[in-house]
Amino acid sequence: MVFELEIIDPDGNRRQVVLGDTTSIGRQPGNDLVLDDARVSRQHATIECQDDLCWITDLGSSNGTVLDGERLPAHAPTPLAPGLEVRIGGWRLLLALHAAPGEDADKMAPVAAPRPAPQEEDAAGPPADGIPSAPQEGDRQVHAGADLPPAPPEEGGAAPPAPDSDTPPPSETACPPGLGYHSRRLLDYLPGIYHTEFMSRFLALFEATLIPIEWTIDNFDLFLDPGTAPGDVLSWLADWFDITFDPSWSEAQRRRLLREAHLIYARRGTRWALSRVLEIYTGATPTIVDTAPDLDPFTFRVTLPIQTPRSGYQRLPREMIERLIDAHKPTHTLYTLEFN
């Protein structure tokens, strides 16, 4: 099978490329497929193909990867079927599957697939010429051929069953998405004499450390956005505003307050800022009165419902609400808190 990718640039120009086992896509030179577009991250996505299947993985790009109209989750391999359209920035990618020239359906297995055949010969038993039934190490070398390493002797003389050529070894499926067992970039910096299987796998060890660091740097803006930052980072962002969240704050409430913190703190000490903080925490808009005739000077009244849907129809924690009011009320003022 041959996978071909049709690439349509923002101007409508088309070109086709043949995909390998793993194709890296990004804005930075060194990727297998370089897309010159400011909306494309330096390391944007990868396409991995095996047998007659392909998967596409978004590498946590800033503007995302869209497959058939839906944005893909980051670092989650998604099946890519022929005919589906992939959008990356202003580029469109279309996958097509073709038979290799001169091949039919019975001859599309990998070149290494016939290697189990000598083992099957051993398992079937020796020819009737007096050779002992237990296979010997020297015999295995003759059967395997000069281009194959000798198989280790088996206990009891029984050869293992031939592996399925269509199933990759378990170790090949354990590689994290976006990484590979072969070098994708570092090998290109070496002269051609070093482009060997050993050197490709050796450099892949260093890329397995370097590439995730680059992903983090390329997408560090996601850590600074309360909407996309990991939950453990929210407390770090809250320190910028001298906010301390206690366990009663849900993650959704924390994200909402941090998204509006620059507006709230610019108007800190005003009725609007205090009302907005209480609304985010309780889910209900408070009533704040500071001009009623029965109020003492420099005193205001805060009224909240005793229960709200966000609180699970349980009593709101008075102590926590008082702490919020103390932190956001105008200086040198007093207040009364009422529930109805």
Side-chain angles (χ1 to χ4, degrees), residues 5-327:
L5 193 66
E6 182 177 15
I7 306 167
I8 308 173
D9 65 17
D11 297 327
N13 301 314
R14 297 171 179 261
R15 62 186 176 98
Q16 288 79 28
V17 296
V18 176
L19 297 180
D21 293 340
T22 302
T23 302
S24 59
I25 304 173
R27 187 181 72 249
Q28 179 177 339
N31 287 286
D32 299 319
L33 180 57
V34 178
L35 304 181
D36 187 11
D37 191 325
R39 293 169 291 178
V40 179
S41 296
R42 286 185 287 178
Q43 298 289 331
H44 196 103
T46 60
I47 297 178
E48 301 182 42
C49 297
Q50 189 176 62
D51 298 331
D52 58 348
L53 297 175
C54 282
W55 294 266
I56 184 169
T57 305
D58 182 89
L59 302 179
S61 59
S62 300
N63 295 298
T65 302
V66 178
L67 174 62
D68 199 26
E70 295 186 4
R71 179 163 177 164
L72 300 180
H75 306 294
T78 303
L80 177 60
L84 294 182
E85 182 181 82
V86 178
R87 284 187 174 270
I88 297 179
W91 298 72
R92 293 185 294 155
L93 311 177
L94 296 172
L95 180 70
L97 179 62
H98 306 286
E103 291 184 347
D104 54 29
D106 297 330
K107 297 181 180 180
M108 293 182 183
V111 177
R115 301 180 95 179
Q119 297 181 356
E120 295 177 358
E121 180 181 346
D122 292 341
D129 57 359
I131 298 178
S133 58
Q136 302 298 318
E137 183 175 353
D139 295 331
R140 289 181 183 273
Q141 296 176 1
V142 173
H143 292 317
D147 60 332
L148 298 178
E154 302 292 338
E155 296 182 2
D164 184 0
S165 61
D166 294 333
T167 303
S171 60
E172 295 294 327
T173 62
C175 189
L179 301 177
Y181 287 91
H182 293 272
S183 172
R184 299 180 179 182
R185 294 182 357 220
L186 296 182
L187 192 65
D188 294 337
Y189 292 96
L190 298 179
I193 192 175
Y194 294 106
H195 289 205
T196 62
E197 174 79 9
F198 167 78
M199 186 60 68
S200 178
R201 286 182 171 267
F202 178 71
L203 293 179
L205 296 175
F206 297 95
E207 292 184 5
T209 301
L210 174 64
I211 291 177
I213 294 175
E214 291 183 345
W215 291 341
T216 302
I217 295 174
D218 287 344
N219 301 283
F220 189 72
D221 57 307
L222 299 179
F223 288 84
L224 305 180
D225 186 345
T228 56
D232 295 339
V233 180
L234 296 179
S235 297
W236 175 64
L237 294 177
D239 288 341
W240 294 11
F241 298 96
D242 195 24
I243 299 174
T244 301
F245 293 119
D246 67 20
S248 65
W249 285 83
S250 68
E251 182 172 319
Q253 291 172 323
R254 299 180 189 200
R255 294 184 185 276
R256 178 170 297 180
L257 180 61
L258 289 174
R259 278 197 297 267
E260 301 183 28
H262 65 290
L263 299 174
I264 294 173
Y265 275 72
R267 301 172 63 179
R268 193 173 188 180
T270 66
R271 180 189 303 178
W272 179 88
L274 176 59
S275 176
R276 187 61 188 139
V277 170
L278 294 177
E279 183 178 356
I280 292 174
Y281 182 73
T282 65
T285 303
T287 301
I288 301 177
V289 178
D290 58 358
T291 57
D294 59 335
L295 291 175
D296 295 331
F298 307 106
T299 302
F300 61 94
R301 180 187 303 118
V302 179
T303 304
L304 280 166
I306 195 171
Q307 298 174 346
T308 66
R310 185 171 296 176
S311 68
Y313 293 102
Q314 298 180 0
R315 294 179 63 91
L316 293 173
R318 184 184 187 94
E319 181 181 352
M320 180 59 196
I321 293 175
E322 288 178 343
R323 287 206 299 268
L324 289 175
I325 297 175
D326 289 335

